[in-house]
Amino acid sequence: MGLSGRNGREAQRKAAMAVLAHSGAGDIAGHLAAIAVPAHENLREPENGLVMLRGRIGGDGAPFNLGEATVSRAAVRLATGEIGFGYVLGRDRQKAQMIALCDAMVQSTELSGEVETRVIAPLREAMIADRSRKAAEAAATRVDFYTMVRGEG
């Protein structure tokens, strides 16, 4: 696979992960149920843990430890060898597992088309519709302020 092919695959994988991360676990499970999930094994059982959040004052100050956040993670290997990883903020191990499975399937040449059309695309459409609805609700409450200049004399 050439350099442009690899970059295209990485971009597709990155876009799929962004959609999956912003989707609900029930939505992902519903769409995954519509396809034949391939044989796979857990490389890393879904587990919960903590990550340290780092911050900076003003964007250019010295970094400091802001606090910890709970995350769930999982790793899956398909029978064909593709390995997928799933990380989720919060304590949703099932969602992390489903994201890892989708990640592995997106990397598979045989499965990537089906997972894109039957799982990722519907989730992306729902995410875009939800964002549009929220933007419309916010726009309905928008108030335009203006100042009239008073003429002198």
Side-chain angles (χ1 to χ4, degrees), residues 50-144:
L50 296 172
V51 294
M52 181 59 68
L53 302 177
R54 308 259 307 164
R56 290 179 183 262
I57 300 295
D60 59 354
F64 63 94
N65 293 336
L66 182 64
E68 295 176 332
T70 305
V71 295
S72 299
R73 68 179 180 176
V76 170
R77 179 176 31 217
L78 299 182
T80 54
E82 293 84 5
I83 298 175
F85 301 94
Y87 289 86
V88 179
L89 275 174
R91 301 177 136 261
D92 196 344
R93 292 185 292 207
Q94 181 186 7
K95 183 177 177 182
Q97 170 115 22
M98 289 185 292
I99 289 175
L101 181 60
C102 288
D103 182 36
M105 291 169 63
V106 164
Q107 296 174 60
S108 168
T109 54
E110 304 140 8
L111 302 170
S112 64
E114 184 178 18
V115 76
E116 175 62 36
T117 57
R118 305 214 36 208
V119 179
I120 307 298
L123 291 173
R124 182 180 297 118
E125 290 171 10
M127 183 178 73
I128 290 170
D130 186 50
R131 287 183 179 173
S132 297
R133 181 186 53 78
K134 287 179 181 175
E137 288 174 2
T141 63
R142 182 177 174 193
V143 177
D144 289 325

